[in-house]
């Protein structure tokens, strides 16, 4: 059973860089058609997709965050990471890592969904 | 960007009731829609993918339907453990992925 676990500082100062890592266990990060993703949720609010990375290193980011986000993957450690620069209080949220599974059969898209999630880690931006 | 509008934002129903949540997309997204359940303090859980397909292990009282711009999520018989917030999510506007605002379901 694949499991995801976020790790990183719970407190970041304004203007600094938020850095989180997601460790994947129970399976190889390199296997299958998976996009390794980050999603965040401010307290009492909805879900916001941040971006995802494929195991070949290709990335896609939310246009609203693109200028500040960098995702990377370390297949040797079965980990992927998020860096969000120039943070403000508006970046305070629970950050989730998630596996986005994409399945196509004979060119037909069968499934494209976040089917595995980490438990989430709270990050507060404050001086 | 495709906007996803869920309604209602919250509802209260009795155990055993049929509960229906709607999700409207700002443009045609075919059937590229998923539904998630999020219990308090927990990560979201995938329930329905591709608008109407039940994820493995999810109880059959949950179902989804719709295509184009209008989608429906139904709990056929509300159970106490279904107390949660439910989110729709589109994947038509790739690479951007967006969620609806959520519907909080409570027991009356």
């Amino acid at each position: 059973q694949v499991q995801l676990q976020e790790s990183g500082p719970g407190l970041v100062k304004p203007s600094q860089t938020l850095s989180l890592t997601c460790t994947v266990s129970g399976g190889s990060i390199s296997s299958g058609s998976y996009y390794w993703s980050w999603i965040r949720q401010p307290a009492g609010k909805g879900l916001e997709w941040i971006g995802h990375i494929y195991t070949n290193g290709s990335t896609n980011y939310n246009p609203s965050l693109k200028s500040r986000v960098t995702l990377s993957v370390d297949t040797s450690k079965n980990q992927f990471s998020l860096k969000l620069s120039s943070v403000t209080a508006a970046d305070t949220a629970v950050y989730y890592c998630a596996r986005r599974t994409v399945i196509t059969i004979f060119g037909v898209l069968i499934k494209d969904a976040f089917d595995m999630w980490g438990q989430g880690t709270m990050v507060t931006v404050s001086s | 960007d495709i906007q996803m509008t869920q309604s209602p934002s919250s509802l209260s129903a009795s155990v055993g009731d049929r509960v229906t949540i709607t999700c409207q997309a700002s443009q045609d997204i075919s059937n590229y829609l998923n539904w998630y359940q999020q219990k308090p303090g927990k990560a979201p859980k995938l329930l329905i993918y591709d608008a109407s397909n039940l994820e493995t292990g999810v109880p059959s009282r949950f179902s989804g339907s719709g295509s184009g711009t209008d989608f429906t999520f139904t709990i056929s018989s509300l159970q106490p453990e279904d107390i949660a917030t439910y989110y729709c999510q589109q994947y038509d506007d790739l690479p951007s992925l967006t969620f609806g605002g959520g519907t909080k379901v409570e027991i009356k």
Side-chain angles (χ1 to χ4, degrees), chain A residues 29-77:
Chain A
I29 200 171
S30 300
S31 65
S33 296
Y34 303 128
Y35 293 80
W36 301 98
S37 309
W38 289 95
I39 294 158
R40 69 180 184 178
Q41 184 174 38
K45 296 189 178 181
L47 300 161
E48 180 180 37
W49 171 73
I50 298 171
H52 58 240
I53 186 165
Y54 197 59
T55 47
N56 64 2
S58 65
T59 55
N60 289 108
Y61 302 130
N62 186 321
S64 69
L65 299 169
K66 187 174 183 177
S67 63
R68 299 194 291 129
V69 175
T70 302
L71 300 190
S72 59
V73 62
D74 187 337
T75 54
S76 67
K77 294 182 179 179

Side-chain angles (χ1 to χ4, degrees), chain A residues 10-126:
Chain A
L11 180 64
V12 182
K13 288 182 166 46
S15 80
Q16 294 191 342
T17 296
L18 179 160
S19 296
L20 296 174
T21 295
C22 183
T23 300
V24 179
S25 59
S28 171
I29 200 171
S30 300
S31 65
S33 296
Y34 303 128
Y35 293 80
W36 301 98
S37 309
W38 289 95
I39 294 158
R40 69 180 184 178
Q41 184 174 38
K45 296 189 178 181
L47 300 161
E48 180 180 37
W49 171 73
I50 298 171
H52 58 240
I53 186 165
Y54 197 59
T55 47
N56 64 2
S58 65
T59 55
N60 289 108
Y61 302 130
N62 186 321
S64 69
L65 299 169
K66 187 174 183 177
S67 63
R68 299 194 291 129
V69 175
T70 302
L71 300 190
S72 59
V73 62
D74 187 337
T75 54
S76 67
K77 294 182 179 179
N78 235 31
Q79 295 176 333
F80 62 104
S81 299
L82 163 70
K83 291 188 185 300
L84 181 66
S85 64
S86 305
V87 297
T88 69
D91 295 310
T92 295
V94 175
Y95 285 75
Y96 294 100
C97 60
R99 184 184 77 178
R100 175 184 162 213
T101 294
V102 180
I103 300 173
T104 59
I105 299 177
F106 301 119
V108 177
L109 181 62
I110 302 300
K111 182 180 185 180
D112 183 341
F114 298 108
D115 62 353
M116 202 70 63
W117 296 67
Q119 64 184 28
T121 188
M122 179 69 201
V123 179
T124 300
V125 178
S126 175

